[in-house]
Amino acid sequence: MIHSAQLQISERKKSNYARKLINNYERNLMLVSCAAIAAVATVLMCVFTIVPASSAFASTKSTNGLPPKGVIVTAFQQNWRSIAKECKETYGPEGVKYVQVSPPEDHIKGKAWWTSYQPVSYNLNSKLGTEAEFKNMITTCKAAKVGIIVDAVINHTTGAGNKDTVGVGGSKYDAANQSYPDAGYTKDDFHQIDKDIYTYRDAQVVWNYRLVGLLDLDTSKPHVQQILGNYFAKLLKMGVAGFRVDAVKHIAPNEMKAIKKAASEASGIKPENIWWMQETIGDSNGAKENQPDKYVGTGEVDEFEYSYRLRNYFSGSIDNLKHITDGLIPNKSAAIFVTNWDTERDNATSVLTYKDGKLYELANAFMLAYPYGTPNVYSGYKFSERDEGAPGATETSVPDASCGKDSKWQCTQRWTSIRGMIGFYNAVKDTKVTKWQDDESNNIAFSRGNKGFFAINNGDKQNDVKYDTDLSDGEYCNVYASKTCDKTVTISGGKVETTIPAHSAVALHIKAVKHFGNSGVVNKILLIFAAIFIALVVTLALRFKKGKDDFKNKSTNN
Protein backbone atom coordinates (compact mmCIF):
# COMPACT_ATOMS: atom_id res chain seq x y z
CA MET A 1 0.00 0.00 0.00
CA ILE A 2 2.75 2.36 1.06
CA HIS A 3 4.88 1.18 -1.86
CA SER A 4 1.95 1.81 -4.23
CA ALA A 5 1.51 5.34 -2.89
CA GLN A 6 5.22 6.00 -3.28
CA LEU A 7 5.06 4.80 -6.89
CA GLN A 8 2.09 7.12 -7.60
CA ILE A 9 3.96 10.06 -6.10
CA SER A 10 7.06 9.17 -8.14
CA GLU A 11 5.02 8.87 -11.36
CA ARG A 12 3.28 12.16 -10.58
CA LYS A 13 6.66 13.86 -10.15
CA LYS A 14 7.88 12.38 -13.42
CA SER A 15 4.70 13.55 -15.14
CA ASN A 16 5.01 17.04 -13.70
CA TYR A 17 8.64 17.21 -14.70
CA ALA A 18 7.89 15.94 -18.20
CA ARG A 19 5.13 18.51 -18.55
CA LYS A 20 7.51 21.17 -17.35
CA LEU A 21 10.14 19.97 -19.84
CA ILE A 22 7.61 19.94 -22.68
CA ASN A 23 6.46 23.46 -21.78
CA ASN A 24 10.06 24.53 -21.68
CA TYR A 25 10.66 22.91 -25.12
CA GLU A 26 7.59 24.58 -26.59
CA ARG A 27 8.72 27.90 -25.16
CA ASN A 28 12.18 27.42 -26.68
CA LEU A 29 10.66 26.37 -30.01
CA MET A 30 8.47 29.48 -30.03
CA LEU A 31 11.53 31.56 -29.25
CA VAL A 32 13.39 30.00 -32.19
CA SER A 33 10.41 30.65 -34.48
CA CYS A 34 10.10 34.26 -33.33
CA ALA A 35 13.83 34.76 -33.81
CA ALA A 36 13.63 33.32 -37.34
CA ILE A 37 10.65 35.50 -38.23
CA ALA A 38 12.37 38.57 -36.79
CA ALA A 39 15.53 37.83 -38.79
CA VAL A 40 13.61 37.38 -42.03
CA ALA A 41 11.51 40.49 -41.38
CA THR A 42 14.63 42.54 -40.69
CA VAL A 43 16.30 41.36 -43.90
CA LEU A 44 13.13 42.11 -45.89
CA MET A 45 12.92 45.53 -44.27
CA CYS A 46 16.48 46.21 -45.36
CA VAL A 47 15.70 45.08 -48.90
CA PHE A 48 12.55 47.20 -49.17
CA THR A 49 14.42 50.16 -47.78
CA ILE A 50 16.91 49.75 -50.63
CA VAL A 51 14.27 49.26 -53.35
CA PRO A 52 12.82 52.63 -54.43
CA ALA A 53 9.21 53.20 -53.43
CA SER A 54 8.41 54.40 -56.92
CA SER A 55 9.24 51.05 -58.50
CA ALA A 56 5.52 50.32 -58.85
CA PHE A 57 4.40 50.20 -62.45
CA ALA A 58 3.31 53.55 -63.84
CA SER A 59 -0.32 53.73 -64.82
CA THR A 60 -0.94 53.40 -68.56
CA LYS A 61 -4.58 54.39 -68.41
CA SER A 62 -5.61 57.37 -70.48
CA THR A 63 -7.00 60.31 -68.58
CA ASN A 64 -8.85 61.98 -71.44
CA GLY A 65 -10.60 59.19 -73.33
CA LEU A 66 -7.85 58.71 -75.89
CA PRO A 67 -5.86 55.46 -76.04
CA PRO A 68 -2.87 55.55 -73.65
CA LYS A 69 0.41 56.69 -75.15
CA GLY A 70 3.13 54.17 -75.89
CA VAL A 71 5.80 53.20 -78.36
CA ILE A 72 4.67 52.86 -81.98
CA VAL A 73 6.52 50.76 -84.54
CA THR A 74 5.79 51.48 -88.20
CA ALA A 75 5.70 48.16 -90.06
CA PHE A 76 6.10 49.75 -93.46
CA GLN A 77 4.75 47.71 -96.40
CA GLN A 78 4.49 44.55 -94.30
CA ASN A 79 1.50 42.35 -94.97
CA TRP A 80 -1.18 41.59 -92.39
CA ARG A 81 -0.07 37.99 -91.82
CA SER A 82 3.46 39.08 -90.99
CA ILE A 83 2.31 41.78 -88.58
CA ALA A 84 -0.07 39.40 -86.80
CA LYS A 85 2.77 36.93 -86.33
CA GLU A 86 5.16 39.62 -85.12
CA CYS A 87 2.59 40.86 -82.59
CA LYS A 88 2.72 37.44 -80.94
CA GLU A 89 6.47 36.92 -81.26
CA THR A 90 7.98 40.37 -80.73
CA TYR A 91 5.70 43.40 -80.41
CA GLY A 92 3.61 42.06 -77.54
CA PRO A 93 6.42 40.42 -75.53
CA GLU A 94 8.70 43.44 -75.93
CA GLY A 95 6.12 46.01 -74.82
CA VAL A 96 5.38 47.73 -78.14
CA LYS A 97 2.06 49.50 -77.61
CA TYR A 98 1.02 50.07 -81.23
CA VAL A 99 1.94 49.02 -84.75
CA GLN A 100 1.35 51.49 -87.57
CA VAL A 101 0.43 49.72 -90.79
CA SER A 102 0.57 50.90 -94.38
CA PRO A 103 -2.72 51.99 -96.03
CA PRO A 104 -5.22 49.10 -96.24
CA GLU A 105 -7.42 50.75 -98.91
CA ASP A 106 -7.77 49.17 -102.33
CA HIS A 107 -5.25 50.90 -104.60
CA ILE A 108 -3.63 50.91 -108.01
CA LYS A 109 -1.49 48.01 -109.19
CA GLY A 110 2.30 48.20 -109.20
CA LYS A 111 5.45 47.04 -107.45
CA ALA A 112 6.45 50.49 -106.13
CA TRP A 113 5.71 51.25 -102.48
CA TRP A 114 3.80 54.42 -103.35
CA THR A 115 1.05 52.49 -105.13
CA SER A 116 -0.41 51.97 -101.63
CA TYR A 117 -0.86 55.75 -101.46
CA GLN A 118 -3.11 55.96 -104.52
CA PRO A 119 -6.47 54.55 -103.35
CA VAL A 120 -9.33 53.67 -105.68
CA SER A 121 -11.87 52.80 -102.95
CA TYR A 122 -12.10 52.24 -99.21
CA ASN A 123 -12.60 48.50 -99.54
CA LEU A 124 -10.04 46.63 -97.47
CA ASN A 125 -8.47 44.34 -100.04
CA SER A 126 -4.97 45.41 -101.03
CA LYS A 127 -1.60 43.95 -101.92
CA LEU A 128 -0.93 43.66 -98.19
CA GLY A 129 -3.83 41.28 -97.66
CA THR A 130 -7.56 40.71 -97.63
CA GLU A 131 -10.15 42.25 -95.34
CA ALA A 132 -10.38 38.94 -93.47
CA GLU A 133 -6.61 38.95 -92.91
CA PHE A 134 -6.79 42.58 -91.82
CA LYS A 135 -9.46 41.75 -89.22
CA ASN A 136 -7.46 38.77 -88.00
CA MET A 137 -4.39 40.98 -87.60
CA ILE A 138 -6.34 43.41 -85.42
CA THR A 139 -7.71 40.58 -83.27
CA THR A 140 -4.37 38.79 -82.95
CA CYS A 141 -2.48 41.95 -82.06
CA LYS A 142 -5.11 43.05 -79.58
CA ALA A 143 -4.78 39.68 -77.83
CA ALA A 144 -1.04 40.44 -77.55
CA LYS A 145 -1.95 43.88 -76.09
CA VAL A 146 -0.84 45.69 -79.25
CA GLY A 147 -3.08 48.23 -80.96
CA ILE A 148 -3.21 48.86 -84.72
CA ILE A 149 -2.76 52.34 -86.18
CA VAL A 150 -3.86 52.75 -89.78
CA ASP A 151 -2.18 55.04 -92.29
CA ALA A 152 -5.20 56.71 -93.91
CA VAL A 153 -4.97 58.36 -97.35
CA ILE A 154 -7.84 60.87 -97.63
CA ASN A 155 -6.51 63.87 -99.57
CA HIS A 156 -6.56 62.31 -103.03
CA THR A 157 -7.10 59.22 -105.14
CA THR A 158 -4.93 58.18 -108.11
CA GLY A 159 -2.78 60.05 -110.54
CA ALA A 160 -4.81 61.89 -113.16
CA GLY A 161 -3.01 60.05 -115.93
CA ASN A 162 -3.56 56.52 -114.59
CA LYS A 163 -4.81 54.30 -117.42
CA ASP A 164 -5.88 51.21 -115.49
CA THR A 165 -9.51 50.65 -114.47
CA VAL A 166 -9.37 48.02 -111.69
CA GLY A 167 -7.56 48.17 -108.38
CA VAL A 168 -5.62 45.39 -106.66
CA GLY A 169 -8.72 44.44 -104.67
CA GLY A 170 -11.09 44.59 -107.65
CA SER A 171 -12.53 48.11 -107.21
CA LYS A 172 -13.41 49.81 -110.50
CA TYR A 173 -12.33 53.34 -111.39
CA ASP A 174 -11.77 55.69 -114.31
CA ALA A 175 -9.17 58.35 -113.56
CA ALA A 176 -9.68 60.14 -116.89
CA ASN A 177 -13.32 60.83 -115.98
CA GLN A 178 -12.62 61.18 -112.25
CA SER A 179 -15.04 58.36 -111.51
CA TYR A 180 -14.53 56.05 -108.52
CA PRO A 181 -17.88 54.28 -108.09
CA ASP A 182 -16.72 51.82 -105.42
CA ALA A 183 -15.48 54.72 -103.33
CA GLY A 184 -18.63 56.75 -104.02
CA TYR A 185 -16.91 59.60 -105.87
CA THR A 186 -17.84 61.38 -109.09
CA LYS A 187 -16.18 64.27 -110.84
CA ASP A 188 -18.07 66.73 -108.62
CA ASP A 189 -16.16 65.45 -105.59
CA PHE A 190 -12.77 66.67 -106.86
CA HIS A 191 -11.15 70.08 -107.15
CA GLN A 192 -11.33 71.02 -110.80
CA ILE A 193 -7.93 72.69 -110.99
CA ASP A 194 -5.80 70.55 -113.27
CA LYS A 195 -2.48 72.03 -112.17
CA ASP A 196 0.08 70.78 -109.68
CA ILE A 197 1.07 72.74 -106.58
CA TYR A 198 3.61 75.32 -107.70
CA THR A 199 4.18 77.22 -104.44
CA TYR A 200 3.88 76.58 -100.71
CA ARG A 201 3.61 80.25 -99.87
CA ASP A 202 -0.09 80.30 -100.78
CA ALA A 203 -2.26 78.02 -98.61
CA GLN A 204 -5.08 77.94 -101.17
CA VAL A 205 -2.70 76.52 -103.76
CA VAL A 206 -1.48 73.87 -101.29
CA TRP A 207 -5.05 72.90 -100.40
CA ASN A 208 -6.73 72.98 -103.79
CA TYR A 209 -4.12 72.16 -106.43
CA ARG A 210 -2.86 68.67 -107.21
CA LEU A 211 -0.05 67.08 -105.23
CA VAL A 212 2.37 65.60 -107.83
CA GLY A 213 -0.44 64.99 -110.31
CA LEU A 214 -2.84 63.21 -107.91
CA LEU A 215 -6.57 63.90 -108.24
CA ASP A 216 -7.37 66.16 -105.29
CA LEU A 217 -10.56 65.49 -103.34
CA ASP A 218 -12.65 68.52 -102.45
CA THR A 219 -12.73 67.86 -98.73
CA SER A 220 -14.84 70.96 -98.14
CA LYS A 221 -17.90 69.10 -99.51
CA PRO A 222 -20.18 67.33 -97.00
CA HIS A 223 -20.50 64.32 -99.31
CA VAL A 224 -16.73 63.75 -99.33
CA GLN A 225 -16.54 64.34 -95.58
CA GLN A 226 -19.28 61.76 -95.04
CA ILE A 227 -17.53 59.11 -97.16
CA LEU A 228 -14.27 59.67 -95.32
CA GLY A 229 -16.05 59.72 -91.96
CA ASN A 230 -17.65 56.37 -92.75
CA TYR A 231 -14.24 54.93 -93.64
CA PHE A 232 -12.74 55.99 -90.32
CA ALA A 233 -15.81 54.69 -88.48
CA LYS A 234 -15.58 51.31 -90.21
CA LEU A 235 -11.99 50.91 -89.06
CA LEU A 236 -12.78 52.05 -85.52
CA LYS A 237 -15.60 49.52 -85.25
CA MET A 238 -13.15 46.82 -86.35
CA GLY A 239 -11.00 47.69 -83.35
CA VAL A 240 -8.38 50.00 -84.84
CA ALA A 241 -6.74 52.10 -82.11
CA GLY A 242 -5.92 55.21 -84.14
CA PHE A 243 -4.67 56.73 -87.37
CA ARG A 244 -1.79 58.37 -89.11
CA VAL A 245 -3.47 60.68 -91.63
CA ASP A 246 -1.52 61.26 -94.83
CA ALA A 247 -0.96 64.65 -96.52
CA VAL A 248 -2.98 66.65 -93.99
CA LYS A 249 -1.09 69.81 -94.91
CA HIS A 250 -3.05 69.68 -98.18
CA ILE A 251 -6.41 69.80 -96.37
CA ALA A 252 -7.60 72.95 -94.60
CA PRO A 253 -7.78 72.73 -90.76
CA ASN A 254 -11.54 73.42 -90.70
CA GLU A 255 -12.07 70.60 -93.21
CA MET A 256 -10.07 68.19 -91.04
CA LYS A 257 -12.32 69.16 -88.15
CA ALA A 258 -15.41 68.46 -90.26
CA ILE A 259 -14.05 65.05 -91.35
CA LYS A 260 -13.40 64.13 -87.74
CA LYS A 261 -16.90 65.20 -86.81
CA ALA A 262 -18.28 62.95 -89.57
CA ALA A 263 -16.18 60.06 -88.23
CA SER A 264 -17.53 60.74 -84.77
CA GLU A 265 -21.15 60.74 -85.92
CA ALA A 266 -20.66 57.50 -87.87
CA SER A 267 -18.78 55.69 -85.09
CA GLY A 268 -20.48 57.07 -81.99
CA ILE A 269 -17.09 58.10 -80.56
CA LYS A 270 -16.55 61.69 -79.46
CA PRO A 271 -14.24 63.63 -81.82
CA GLU A 272 -11.77 64.33 -79.02
CA ASN A 273 -11.52 60.59 -78.35
CA ILE A 274 -10.58 59.68 -81.93
CA TRP A 275 -6.79 59.50 -82.01
CA TRP A 276 -4.98 60.53 -85.11
CA MET A 277 -1.56 61.86 -85.98
CA GLN A 278 -1.55 64.26 -88.91
CA GLU A 279 1.21 64.55 -91.49
CA THR A 280 1.90 68.26 -91.53
CA ILE A 281 5.37 69.17 -92.75
CA GLY A 282 6.45 72.49 -91.31
CA ASP A 283 8.02 75.10 -93.58
CA SER A 284 9.26 78.41 -92.20
CA ASN A 285 9.04 79.90 -95.69
CA GLY A 286 5.56 78.57 -96.39
CA ALA A 287 2.08 79.91 -95.76
CA LYS A 288 1.23 80.35 -92.09
CA GLU A 289 -2.27 78.95 -92.53
CA ASN A 290 -1.11 75.35 -93.01
CA GLN A 291 1.77 75.07 -90.56
CA PRO A 292 1.64 72.23 -87.98
CA ASP A 293 0.45 74.42 -85.12
CA LYS A 294 -2.77 75.17 -87.04
CA TYR A 295 -3.79 71.49 -86.86
CA VAL A 296 -3.29 70.70 -83.16
CA GLY A 297 -6.98 71.41 -82.59
CA THR A 298 -7.90 68.19 -84.39
CA GLY A 299 -5.17 65.88 -83.08
CA GLU A 300 -1.46 65.26 -82.85
CA VAL A 301 0.81 66.47 -85.64
CA ASP A 302 4.03 65.06 -87.06
CA GLU A 303 6.93 67.21 -85.86
CA PHE A 304 9.39 66.83 -88.72
CA GLU A 305 11.72 69.44 -87.23
CA TYR A 306 12.50 67.01 -84.40
CA SER A 307 13.98 64.50 -86.86
CA TYR A 308 15.95 67.24 -88.65
CA ARG A 309 17.49 68.35 -85.35
CA LEU A 310 18.42 64.78 -84.46
CA ARG A 311 20.40 64.56 -87.69
CA ASN A 312 22.14 67.88 -87.07
CA TYR A 313 23.06 67.14 -83.46
CA PHE A 314 24.23 63.57 -83.91
CA SER A 315 26.27 64.66 -86.91
CA GLY A 316 27.75 67.48 -84.83
CA SER A 317 27.49 67.78 -81.07
CA ILE A 318 24.83 66.00 -79.03
CA ASP A 319 25.26 68.51 -76.21
CA ASN A 320 22.59 70.48 -78.10
CA LEU A 321 20.04 67.72 -77.47
CA LYS A 322 19.04 69.45 -74.24
CA HIS A 323 17.48 72.13 -76.46
CA ILE A 324 15.94 69.79 -79.03
CA THR A 325 12.31 70.62 -78.17
CA ASP A 326 12.79 74.39 -77.99
CA GLY A 327 10.15 76.08 -80.13
CA LEU A 328 8.58 72.81 -81.29
CA ILE A 329 4.96 71.66 -81.06
CA PRO A 330 3.94 71.10 -77.39
CA ASN A 331 4.72 67.67 -75.98
CA LYS A 332 1.14 66.37 -75.84
CA SER A 333 0.50 67.29 -79.50
CA ALA A 334 3.72 66.04 -81.10
CA ALA A 335 4.19 62.79 -83.02
CA ILE A 336 7.90 62.12 -83.56
CA PHE A 337 10.26 59.79 -85.41
CA VAL A 338 13.87 59.59 -86.53
CA THR A 339 12.83 58.88 -90.11
CA ASN A 340 9.96 57.49 -92.18
CA TRP A 341 9.50 56.09 -95.70
CA ASP A 342 9.32 59.55 -97.27
CA THR A 343 12.21 61.22 -95.48
CA GLU A 344 14.60 58.28 -95.84
CA ARG A 345 14.12 58.55 -99.60
CA ASP A 346 13.54 62.24 -100.30
CA ASN A 347 15.31 63.93 -97.37
CA ALA A 348 18.15 61.54 -96.59
CA THR A 349 20.56 64.44 -96.13
CA SER A 350 18.23 65.99 -93.54
CA VAL A 351 17.47 62.91 -91.41
CA LEU A 352 19.23 59.83 -90.11
CA THR A 353 18.37 56.48 -91.71
CA TYR A 354 19.41 52.84 -91.38
CA LYS A 355 22.29 53.67 -93.73
CA ASP A 356 23.82 55.82 -90.96
CA GLY A 357 24.43 52.78 -88.78
CA LYS A 358 25.23 53.50 -85.13
CA LEU A 359 24.14 57.13 -85.31
CA TYR A 360 20.68 56.03 -86.42
CA GLU A 361 20.56 53.50 -83.60
CA LEU A 362 21.59 56.11 -81.01
CA ALA A 363 19.07 58.64 -82.31
CA ASN A 364 16.26 56.12 -81.89
CA ALA A 365 17.51 55.34 -78.39
CA PHE A 366 17.50 59.02 -77.45
CA MET A 367 13.98 59.45 -78.83
CA LEU A 368 12.79 56.62 -76.56
CA ALA A 369 14.74 57.90 -73.56
CA TYR A 370 13.78 61.58 -73.67
CA PRO A 371 10.21 62.56 -72.69
CA TYR A 372 8.69 64.32 -75.68
CA GLY A 373 5.82 63.49 -78.00
CA THR A 374 4.59 60.11 -79.20
CA PRO A 375 7.64 58.14 -80.44
CA ASN A 376 7.45 56.10 -83.63
CA VAL A 377 10.20 53.60 -84.48
CA TYR A 378 10.44 53.02 -88.21
CA SER A 379 10.84 49.45 -89.49
CA GLY A 380 11.09 49.40 -93.27
CA TYR A 381 13.37 47.59 -95.71
CA LYS A 382 16.69 48.14 -97.40
CA PHE A 383 16.56 49.73 -100.84
CA SER A 384 18.84 51.08 -103.53
CA GLU A 385 16.28 52.96 -105.65
CA ARG A 386 13.65 55.42 -104.46
CA ASP A 387 10.62 53.65 -105.94
CA GLU A 388 11.77 50.16 -105.04
CA GLY A 389 8.95 48.12 -103.57
CA ALA A 390 9.00 45.74 -100.62
CA PRO A 391 11.23 42.65 -100.93
CA GLY A 392 9.63 40.21 -103.36
CA ALA A 393 6.66 42.50 -104.13
CA THR A 394 4.63 41.89 -107.27
CA GLU A 395 2.09 44.28 -108.81
CA THR A 396 -0.66 42.84 -106.61
CA SER A 397 0.96 41.32 -103.52
CA VAL A 398 3.73 41.51 -100.93
CA PRO A 399 5.13 38.23 -99.53
CA ASP A 400 5.56 37.60 -95.82
CA ALA A 401 8.31 39.59 -94.13
CA SER A 402 11.26 37.70 -92.70
CA CYS A 403 13.92 38.79 -90.23
CA GLY A 404 16.70 36.38 -91.14
CA LYS A 405 20.35 37.29 -91.44
CA ASP A 406 20.23 37.91 -95.18
CA SER A 407 16.77 39.51 -95.25
CA LYS A 408 16.28 42.95 -96.77
CA TRP A 409 13.68 43.77 -94.12
CA GLN A 410 15.19 46.04 -91.47
CA CYS A 411 13.24 44.44 -88.57
CA THR A 412 14.26 47.39 -86.38
CA GLN A 413 11.98 46.21 -83.58
CA ARG A 414 14.24 43.18 -83.08
CA TRP A 415 17.49 45.10 -82.66
CA THR A 416 18.91 44.61 -79.16
CA SER A 417 19.14 48.36 -78.55
CA ILE A 418 15.58 49.03 -79.70
CA ARG A 419 14.14 46.15 -77.66
CA GLY A 420 15.97 47.49 -74.62
CA MET A 421 14.89 51.07 -75.15
CA ILE A 422 11.24 50.11 -75.57
CA GLY A 423 11.49 48.51 -72.14
CA PHE A 424 13.23 51.65 -70.87
CA TYR A 425 10.44 53.87 -72.23
CA ASN A 426 7.79 51.76 -70.51
CA ALA A 427 9.70 51.68 -67.21
CA VAL A 428 10.24 55.45 -66.91
CA LYS A 429 6.86 56.71 -68.12
CA ASP A 430 5.50 59.81 -66.37
CA THR A 431 8.92 60.89 -65.06
CA LYS A 432 10.88 64.02 -65.87
CA VAL A 433 14.49 64.52 -66.88
CA THR A 434 16.75 65.11 -63.89
CA LYS A 435 20.48 65.62 -63.51
CA TRP A 436 21.27 66.48 -67.12
CA GLN A 437 25.04 66.30 -67.66
CA ASP A 438 27.22 66.96 -70.71
CA ASP A 439 30.91 67.54 -71.24
CA GLU A 440 30.78 69.52 -74.47
CA SER A 441 32.62 66.60 -76.08
CA ASN A 442 29.75 64.58 -77.54
CA ASN A 443 28.81 62.88 -74.27
CA ILE A 444 25.54 63.37 -72.42
CA ALA A 445 23.74 61.74 -69.51
CA PHE A 446 20.51 62.22 -67.60
CA SER A 447 18.18 60.45 -65.22
CA ARG A 448 14.45 59.91 -65.56
CA GLY A 449 13.64 60.61 -61.93
CA ASN A 450 14.50 57.57 -59.80
CA LYS A 451 13.32 55.12 -62.47
CA GLY A 452 15.97 55.34 -65.17
CA PHE A 453 19.37 56.57 -66.30
CA PHE A 454 20.61 57.12 -69.86
CA ALA A 455 23.99 58.13 -71.26
CA ILE A 456 25.44 58.42 -74.77
CA ASN A 457 29.00 58.50 -76.01
CA ASN A 458 28.77 59.92 -79.52
CA GLY A 459 32.54 60.19 -79.81
CA ASP A 460 34.92 58.08 -81.88
CA LYS A 461 36.70 56.63 -78.82
CA GLN A 462 35.50 54.82 -75.71
CA ASN A 463 34.94 57.06 -72.72
CA ASP A 464 35.42 56.41 -69.00
CA VAL A 465 32.59 58.28 -67.30
CA LYS A 466 31.38 59.14 -63.81
CA TYR A 467 27.88 60.58 -63.67
CA ASP A 468 25.42 61.51 -60.93
CA THR A 469 22.07 59.76 -60.98
CA ASP A 470 18.79 59.64 -59.10
CA LEU A 471 18.62 55.86 -59.48
CA SER A 472 19.04 53.86 -56.27
CA ASP A 473 22.25 51.94 -55.71
CA GLY A 474 22.40 48.52 -57.29
CA GLU A 475 23.61 46.45 -60.21
CA TYR A 476 21.56 47.21 -63.34
CA CYS A 477 21.32 45.58 -66.75
CA ASN A 478 22.51 47.79 -69.60
CA VAL A 479 19.47 47.20 -71.80
CA TYR A 480 20.93 49.17 -74.71
CA ALA A 481 23.81 46.72 -75.06
CA SER A 482 22.33 43.39 -73.99
CA LYS A 483 18.97 41.64 -73.83
CA THR A 484 20.24 38.90 -71.48
CA CYS A 485 21.69 41.17 -68.77
CA ASP A 486 25.21 39.89 -69.37
CA LYS A 487 26.36 43.53 -69.46
CA THR A 488 25.72 45.39 -66.24
CA VAL A 489 26.53 48.72 -64.62
CA THR A 490 26.79 49.29 -60.87
CA ILE A 491 25.50 52.40 -59.15
CA SER A 492 27.06 53.21 -55.78
CA GLY A 493 26.51 56.31 -53.70
CA GLY A 494 24.37 57.85 -56.43
CA LYS A 495 27.21 57.59 -58.95
CA VAL A 496 27.45 55.77 -62.27
CA GLU A 497 31.03 54.86 -63.04
CA THR A 498 31.58 52.87 -66.22
CA THR A 499 33.17 52.79 -69.68
CA ILE A 500 30.97 53.55 -72.69
CA PRO A 501 32.28 52.33 -76.07
CA ALA A 502 32.47 54.73 -79.02
CA HIS A 503 29.07 55.54 -80.53
CA SER A 504 27.22 53.57 -77.90
CA ALA A 505 25.04 54.10 -74.87
CA VAL A 506 24.11 52.96 -71.38
CA ALA A 507 20.45 52.58 -70.47
CA LEU A 508 19.45 51.46 -66.97
CA HIS A 509 16.01 51.21 -65.41
CA ILE A 510 14.32 49.77 -62.32
CA LYS A 511 12.66 46.88 -64.13
CA ALA A 512 15.96 45.40 -65.34
CA VAL A 513 18.01 44.93 -62.18
CA LYS A 514 20.25 42.14 -60.89
CA HIS A 515 19.96 43.48 -57.36
CA PHE A 516 19.32 46.74 -55.55
CA GLY A 517 21.69 48.23 -53.00
CA ASN A 518 25.41 47.79 -52.41
CA SER A 519 26.04 44.05 -52.80
CA GLY A 520 28.83 44.09 -50.22
CA VAL A 521 26.63 45.70 -47.56
CA VAL A 522 23.70 43.40 -48.32
CA ASN A 523 25.91 40.31 -48.09
CA LYS A 524 27.37 41.45 -44.76
CA ILE A 525 23.87 41.99 -43.31
CA LEU A 526 22.77 38.56 -44.44
CA LEU A 527 25.91 36.90 -43.01
CA ILE A 528 25.45 38.64 -39.65
CA PHE A 529 21.85 37.54 -39.34
CA ALA A 530 22.72 34.02 -40.48
CA ALA A 531 25.40 33.82 -37.80
CA ILE A 532 23.03 35.14 -35.12
CA PHE A 533 20.33 32.70 -36.17
CA ILE A 534 22.72 29.71 -36.17
CA ALA A 535 24.11 30.70 -32.76
CA LEU A 536 20.58 31.00 -31.37
CA VAL A 537 19.58 27.57 -32.70
CA VAL A 538 22.74 25.95 -31.30
CA THR A 539 22.22 27.57 -27.87
CA LEU A 540 18.63 26.43 -27.66
CA ALA A 541 19.58 22.93 -28.84
CA LEU A 542 22.16 22.67 -26.07
CA ARG A 543 19.63 23.91 -23.54
CA PHE A 544 17.14 21.32 -24.77
CA LYS A 545 19.79 18.53 -24.56
CA LYS A 546 20.71 19.58 -21.02
CA GLY A 547 17.06 19.51 -20.00
CA LYS A 548 16.67 16.09 -21.54
CA ASP A 549 19.76 14.78 -19.65
CA ASP A 550 18.44 16.26 -16.40
CA PHE A 551 15.17 14.47 -17.00
CA LYS A 552 16.97 11.13 -17.50
CA ASN A 553 19.08 11.62 -14.38
CA LYS A 554 16.03 12.56 -12.34
CA SER A 555 14.18 9.52 -13.62
CA THR A 556 17.11 7.26 -12.76
CA ASN A 557 17.38 8.69 -9.27
CA ASN A 558 13.67 8.20 -8.71
Side-chain angles (χ1 to χ4, degrees), residues 196-200 202-210 250:
D196 286 358
I197 296 168
Y198 63 88
T199 180
Y200 279 84
D202 185 338
Q204 293 299 323
V205 171
V206 178
W207 292 333
N208 302 325
Y209 283 55
R210 293 175 181 173
H250 301 277

Side-chain angles (χ1 to χ4, degrees), residues 443 455 463-467 496-500:
N443 286 268
N463 193 26
D464 297 327
V465 299
K466 188 174 183 179
Y467 292 121
V496 177
E497 194 167 356
T498 189
T499 299
I500 307 178

Side-chain angles (χ1 to χ4, degrees), residues 9 27 40 53 60 86 97 100 166 199 228 256 275 308 316 318 338 366 426 515 524 529 531:
I9 292 171
R27 190 163 51 251
V40 172
T60 57
E86 194 71 350
K97 194 69 178 175
Q100 180 178 308
V166 181
T199 180
L228 295 174
M256 285 300 298
W275 179 31
Y308 302 153
I318 61 172
V338 178
F366 176 83
N426 292 332
H515 66 79
K524 285 179 181 178
F529 275 99

Side-chain angles (χ1 to χ4, degrees), residues 119-144:
V120 297
S121 81
Y122 303 108
N123 296 331
L124 301 178
N125 292 299
S126 70
K127 66 180 176 183
L128 299 178
T130 65
E131 181 168 333
E133 289 171 329
F134 183 77
K135 288 179 179 178
N136 180 66
M137 174 189 66
I138 295 172
T139 302
T140 302
C141 291
K142 186 174 288 188

